[in-house]
Amino acid sequence: MSDPSTSSGRSLPMRVPEPGLPERVTIYEVGPRDGLQNEQGIVDTEVKAEFVTRLLAAGLPTVEATSFVHPTWVPQLADAADLMTRLGETGRGLPVLVPNERGLDRALELGLEHVAIFGSATETFASKNLNRTLDEQFAMFEPVVRRARDAGLDVRAYVSMCFGDPWEGQVPVDQVVTVGRRLLDLGASQLSLGDTIGVGTAGHVTALVEAFTAAGVGTDRLALHFHDTYGQALANAYAGLRAGVTTYDASAGGLGGCPYAKSATGNLATEDLVWFLTGLGIEHGVDLDQVVAASVWMAGRLGRPSPSAVVRALAGA
């Protein structure tokens, strides 16, 4: 008899809805960009394109494809333009990271429709990642967002180090809210709050979301981006759900890290999040078997097993 947890049309996990949680959640897949950017061995463009295609086929509504960052800083993504060209018309609708106006120019040349900027909640990380002070980063982002919006593009904003910084330690909640609101005021449609080094805990998540709400930022404009360094990612996602947030960044197979913060380990695995949401009866539209298959396929190309607990359980990977 086949294991019902691994068969098509699976019966497990058992769906037990919990009152007060959202009915539906959007999973914002970051594996091809955030997941692969810290890989030491260069992944072929063809493999990246196939990875994106497989993730889209699994029902993930948004797959962030790459970043138009200078190859000196992130060599893995030096093929950004080639990748987006290879993805063709499908690629036009996928978001890409643009760190500055040069990156935006490249996205505009390719006719892309969605871009993202990447800010910092702390002074030290702004200096190391952006070569700007905490305040100067907004002057760099302003023309990027303005030009993108004028061209009809959607703009997402990331904020790093929202829950802790490896150099500065604790990051005040009000400091994160101030940075986040300034990015939204520039014209970003959504703000992704990043636990870059994975030190956040559930109560901290609740406090941060409530602080944004008190500052006039609705949960519909927030996304949460967790790393699982201390095994807290799903607990933090649960806190986010209870606070009303309905968009969660995740990386297929739990791939990822941050090239500027060595203590940052893998992102929240898409498969782990899908299993978790399914058990709560929350709709997400993602085919778990297909995401697992995509992650196992990519793990084979990277030459190591997936760190995702669900991938290991279902595929023995």
Side-chain angles (χ1 to χ4, degrees):
M1 180 180 294
S2 63
D3 182 346
S5 71
T6 60
S7 61
S8 179
R10 66 180 66 256
S11 63
L12 295 177
M14 181 173 171
R15 289 158 174 77
V16 185
E18 183 173 311
L21 298 184
E23 294 182 0
R24 186 174 185 88
V25 155
T26 297
I27 299 176
Y28 193 103
E29 174 63 47
V30 298
R33 195 274 302 173
D34 195 18
L36 294 179
Q37 68 178 3
N38 210 36
E39 290 294 321
Q40 295 302 307
I42 300 300
V43 179
D44 288 345
T45 306
E46 183 177 350
V47 171
K48 293 175 183 174
E50 178 67 18
F51 191 37
V52 170
T53 301
R54 287 173 178 248
L55 294 172
L56 289 169
L60 286 155
T62 304
V63 178
E64 189 173 71
T66 188
S67 172
F68 288 105
V69 66
H70 195 285
T72 299
W73 295 106
V74 186
Q76 183 66 253
L77 305 182
D79 62 347
D82 290 342
L83 173 63
M84 300 313 291
T85 299
R86 184 182 294 265
L87 290 169
E89 189 62 28
T90 298
R92 292 189 62 211
L94 304 181
V96 297
L97 199 66
V98 292
N100 49 40
E101 286 195 87
R102 293 189 298 278
L104 176 62
D105 288 339
R106 297 171 69 192
L108 291 173
E109 289 170 3
L110 290 167
L112 306 186
E113 300 170 351
H114 303 274
V115 297
I117 57 175
F118 202 92
S120 172
T122 66
E123 194 74 56
T124 306
F125 193 65
S127 174
K128 291 180 177 293
N129 187 37
L130 304 170
N131 198 28
R132 299 288 192 281
T133 66
L134 187 64
D135 195 57
E136 287 171 348
Q137 67 179 328
F138 302 104
M140 181 177 72
F141 292 138
E142 188 278 329
V144 177
V145 178
R146 173 175 43 79
R147 289 181 54 210
R149 295 300 297 269
D150 287 348
L153 277 65
D154 177 66
V155 181
R156 186 188 217 220
Y158 287 95
V159 185
S160 295
M161 304 299 173
C162 292
F163 295 87
D165 180 289
W167 300 279
E168 298 183 19
Q170 296 182 12
V171 181
V173 168
D174 60 350
Q175 182 172 311
V176 178
V177 173
T178 297
V179 170
R181 285 195 63 185
R182 289 185 69 176
L183 290 170
L184 288 170
D185 288 344
L186 289 178
S189 62
Q190 186 179 66
L191 183 71
S192 177
L193 305 174
D195 184 11
T196 313
I197 57 173
V199 296
T201 54
H204 195 169
V205 173
T206 302
L208 185 58
V209 174
E210 288 180 347
F212 270 100
T213 301
V217 179
T219 54
D220 60 318
R221 300 192 70 189
L222 298 177
L224 292 171
H225 183 118
F226 298 123
H227 287 235
D228 207 31
T229 313
Y230 292 87
Q232 303 299 300
L234 282 178
N236 291 340
Y238 181 63
L241 289 170
R242 290 179 62 86
V245 178
T246 58
T247 299
Y248 293 84
D249 298 356
S251 176
L255 294 173
C258 177
Y260 307 104
K262 299 306 179 185
S263 54
T265 56
N267 292 279
L268 168 59
T270 304
E271 296 85 354
D272 297 5
L273 180 60
V274 168
W275 183 275
F276 175 69
L277 294 172
T278 301
L280 286 168
I282 296 174
E283 296 296 327
H284 47 72
V286 179
D287 186 305
L288 179 57
D289 292 319
Q290 289 193 55
V291 180
V292 168
S295 292
V296 171
W297 177 85
M298 179 53 79
R301 272 72 192 159
L302 297 177
R304 65 173 186 277
S306 167
S308 163
V310 170
V311 171
R312 293 197 304 270
L314 295 186

